[in-house]
Amino acid sequence: MKKPLISALALGLLLATAGCKKSFLDLQPQATTSADSFFKNQDQVQQAVDGAYAPVRTLGNVDYWVFGELRSDNTTFQYNDSNRGQESQREFVDEFLISANSESVQELWQVSYNGISRCNDVLGKIDAVTMPADKKNQYLGEVKFLRALYYYTLVRQFGGVPLRLESVASPTAAKSQGRAPAADVYASIIADLTDAAAKLPTKAAYAAADAGRATKGAANTLLASVYLTQKDYAEAVALLRDVRTGGYSLLPSYRSVFDPANKNNAESIFEIQYLGTQPDISSSFTFIFAPYTSGNIITGDVTAPNLGIGSGWNIPTQDMIDAYEAGDLRKTASLALGFTDATGKFVAVPYITKYNFGLAAPGRTDTNFPMLRYADALLMYAEALNEQGFAAGGEAAAALNEVRKRAGLPAKAPASQAAFRDAVLQERRVELAFENQRWYDLVRTGRAVDVMNAHGTRQKALQTFLPASAYQVTANKLLLPIPQREVMLDNLVQNPL
């Protein structure tokens, strides 16, 4: 049964443990309390801000990849005849057979609004707390960035959604005014990110213990993504030029970008923070993305066989495997074509290797999940410049080829604006593979229906268990159904199915 949407403080706040060497992720649950009795000093505000990050971690472990990768032509699932329960609902996401009663859809909605509620709690109480102006601005910037991030996920997946911008003090106040138009949701996201960028410190200004918090660069990069989605290319270019002078750079090695030893590196703009030494805030991508028939061969977790075995989700498709050019160093850094089982037999089930860096503890890994990084910003910059007007060999080509050079590939010189569009989309696919960008790129560029129907035809030939009704993609199916529970309880209008 799903939990009702309630204030973050009613769920319990997270407290950063003391000590200069501790990350802000080193959190311990505190007793529940009310907002009125809690927001009394700066430390309490910081605890509430830290709590606003927690739903991002929850979404990062499952929901982001289900709706950003599995729903695209990048990944699929390994069919498991013995598991036909709740987990099979993710298959319906992949097959475009998702219903309004899906628990996966309900969880995406609920966890996102839980995050929004936590942000609203801070925004509603912080002005009454005495603290230095720079810290107040930082906290305001962090929660406005996070609220925008949650709403950006919701509006791209559902379209117009209830716009809740104030703290909810009672169950009766939780009822919305219905679905706000998508344009209004985007306006709120833009306002939050603009204010966040003005208030947040740069990445370099944070102490080591605060690495991973939202920054000015993160707010500007996310805002550029919003403008790119809305086809406001001039605004996107201006913001990305600012990001390019913000001290970010590509790491020499693609593989090293994702290594837990290099968390929050020079290429990282914003990544979901996980801490493998603590059960509640560790990551689990190695286990989820390994074929379920691999047992613990891939994960290496022989000490916890019931925790550290593969699950068979987010399996690279043949379309994805074929997308890499010959000699692309990113291919072997991102995926493997199969594994050798205990009998020495090669099993040709591909899987993601991008996040495989060993274990922090039995059943737990320490790998962060990238949400925004400099390579993404470079490719957005190239795309936005091209949309303003094609210029052979200009800044756009330089940004595109900076990414390709790191991958060991020769420079590209597209001969037209249309060819450059194709080149950027292709580069984004392989550079950002398995980072939850592909679905949004397909929708944003108007290619989702055609690409996914063609992909579905190929998948049905390869996966004979797929029903005939799978991959019947129409424009209506580019948005998820509003969870039926929310339709009934909040009297919301359902999306066309």
Side-chain angles (χ1 to χ4, degrees):
M1 181 179 295
K2 296 294 180 183
K3 301 181 182 68
L5 178 68
I6 57 176
S7 164
L9 289 171
L11 295 175
L13 290 164
L14 298 173
L15 173 64
T17 55
C20 63
K21 292 185 180 179
K22 294 288 187 179
S23 163
F24 82 101
L25 273 183
D26 292 325
L27 309 171
Q28 299 296 330
Q30 300 299 293
T32 57
T33 185
S34 70
D36 288 335
S37 64
F38 183 78
F39 285 92
K40 299 299 183 183
N41 56 52
Q42 180 180 327
D43 287 344
Q44 291 177 329
V45 171
Q46 181 174 326
Q47 292 168 37
V49 172
D50 292 344
Y53 284 89
V56 178
R57 290 199 301 273
T58 301
L59 292 167
N61 259 324
V62 178
D63 298 272
Y64 283 143
W65 62 259
V66 167
F67 296 102
E69 288 289 334
L70 190 64
R71 202 170 173 213
S72 79
D73 54 343
N74 276 5
T75 66
T76 184
F77 57 92
Q78 184 185 15
Y79 185 75
N80 186 348
D81 190 51
S82 65
N83 185 359
R84 312 312 305 149
Q86 177 182 343
E87 291 298 300
S88 67
Q89 292 191 38
R90 295 178 190 166
E91 298 175 15
F92 296 148
V93 175
D94 183 42
E95 298 166 355
F96 288 83
L97 296 174
I98 197 76
S99 79
N101 292 310
S102 164
E103 290 195 24
S104 295
V105 171
Q106 176 65 43
E107 179 166 329
L108 174 66
W109 180 284
Q110 180 179 305
V111 175
S112 297
Y113 273 109
N114 181 31
I116 290 165
S117 175
R118 292 178 181 224
C119 295
N120 289 341
D121 284 339
V122 175
L123 292 169
K125 297 295 182 179
I126 192 171
D127 282 344
V129 181
T130 300
M131 68 179 77
D134 61 333
K135 294 304 295 184
K136 181 173 287 190
N137 279 336
Q138 177 194 318
Y139 297 146
L140 285 169
E142 286 184 80
V143 293
K144 287 199 170 185
F145 170 85
L146 291 169
R147 185 169 71 175
L149 179 63
Y150 293 126
Y151 269 122
Y152 194 32
T153 298
L154 288 168
V155 74
R156 290 193 292 176
Q157 291 289 356
F158 296 100
V161 293
L163 196 54
R164 305 176 187 274
L165 301 177
E166 296 181 357
S167 183
V168 175
S170 67
T172 56
K175 189 172 179 62
S176 75
Q177 299 300 311
R179 295 176 63 182
D184 292 353
V185 180
Y186 273 110
S188 176
I189 292 168
I190 290 170
D192 274 353
L193 289 174
T194 300
D195 195 38
K199 288 182 166 64
L200 283 169
T202 64
K203 183 178 179 178
Y206 275 119
D210 286 319
R213 292 187 182 275
T215 64
K216 176 183 178 67
N220 278 335
T221 305
L222 188 61
L223 184 54
S225 174
V226 173
Y227 280 128
L228 198 64
T229 299
Q230 296 197 310
K231 304 189 187 308
D232 191 338
Y233 303 115
E235 290 287 355
V237 165
L239 288 162
L240 292 165
R241 280 189 174 137
D242 186 73
V243 173
R244 292 198 71 184
T245 60
Y248 302 102
S249 61
L250 297 182
L251 296 192
S253 163
Y254 181 80
R255 174 74 173 163
S256 67
V257 173
F258 313 99
D259 191 332
N262 297 325
K263 286 185 176 186
N264 307 303
N265 55 65
E267 189 167 335
S268 171
I269 296 177
F270 185 76
E271 54 192 63
I272 305 176
Q273 306 291 309
Y274 293 101
L275 197 61
T277 56
Q278 297 193 26
D280 294 337
I281 54 178
S282 62
S283 53
S284 58
F285 315 125
T286 300
F287 315 129
I288 294 172
F289 300 161
Y292 78 88
T293 46
S294 67
N296 53 25
I297 291 172
I298 291 169
T299 68
D301 195 354
V302 296
T303 60
N306 294 325
L307 293 174
I309 61 174
S311 299
W313 291 105
N314 230 21
I315 298 295
T317 63
Q318 191 61 47
D319 285 355
M320 181 72 247
I321 294 167
D322 293 343
Y324 290 93
E325 298 170 56
D328 192 331
L329 300 176
R330 294 169 295 198
K331 185 174 183 179
T332 55
S334 300
L335 62 86
L337 298 179
F339 62 95
T340 301
D341 68 14
T343 69
K345 178 183 176 182
F346 182 76
V347 182
V349 178
Y351 63 95
I352 296 169
T353 60
K354 197 168 196 171
Y355 307 108
N356 290 20
F357 290 93
L359 306 171
R364 304 201 295 273
T365 71
D366 195 38
T367 307
N368 284 357
F369 208 111
M371 293 201 75
L372 300 168
R373 57 187 179 88
Y374 188 56
D376 182 9
L378 284 172
L379 293 173
M380 285 196 290
Y381 185 59
E383 181 177 345
L385 283 171
N386 181 60
E387 294 301 332
Q388 286 189 298
F390 174 70
E395 275 190 280
L400 170 67
N401 288 319
E402 187 175 345
V403 175
R404 288 178 60 80
K405 181 179 179 181
R406 199 254 304 267
L409 297 175
K412 272 189 176 179
S416 68
Q417 187 179 51
F420 198 97
R421 285 191 191 111
D422 291 343
V424 171
L425 186 61
Q426 156 65 17
E427 206 62 37
R428 287 184 63 81
R429 185 179 192 184
V430 291
E431 173 66 30
L432 305 172
F434 320 126
E435 296 179 40
N436 309 326
Q437 300 280 4
R438 177 63 174 175
W439 172 253
Y440 299 116
D441 284 348
L442 290 175
V443 174
R444 174 174 54 76
T445 58
R447 305 189 188 201
V449 172
D450 290 343
V451 167
M452 292 311 301
N453 278 319
H455 171 69
T457 298
R458 291 188 288 272
Q459 287 301 104
K460 286 178 180 179
L462 294 169
Q463 297 174 301
T464 56
F465 55 80
L466 290 172
S469 55
Y471 291 105
Q472 301 297 314
V473 185
T474 64
N476 284 346
K477 291 191 176 182
L478 300 186
L479 292 178
L480 294 173
I482 303 297
Q484 190 60 33
R485 177 179 180 275
E486 308 302 325
V487 170
M488 295 174 63
L489 294 180
D490 208 12
N491 196 31
L492 300 182
V493 177
Q494 182 59 272
N495 281 326
L497 301 177

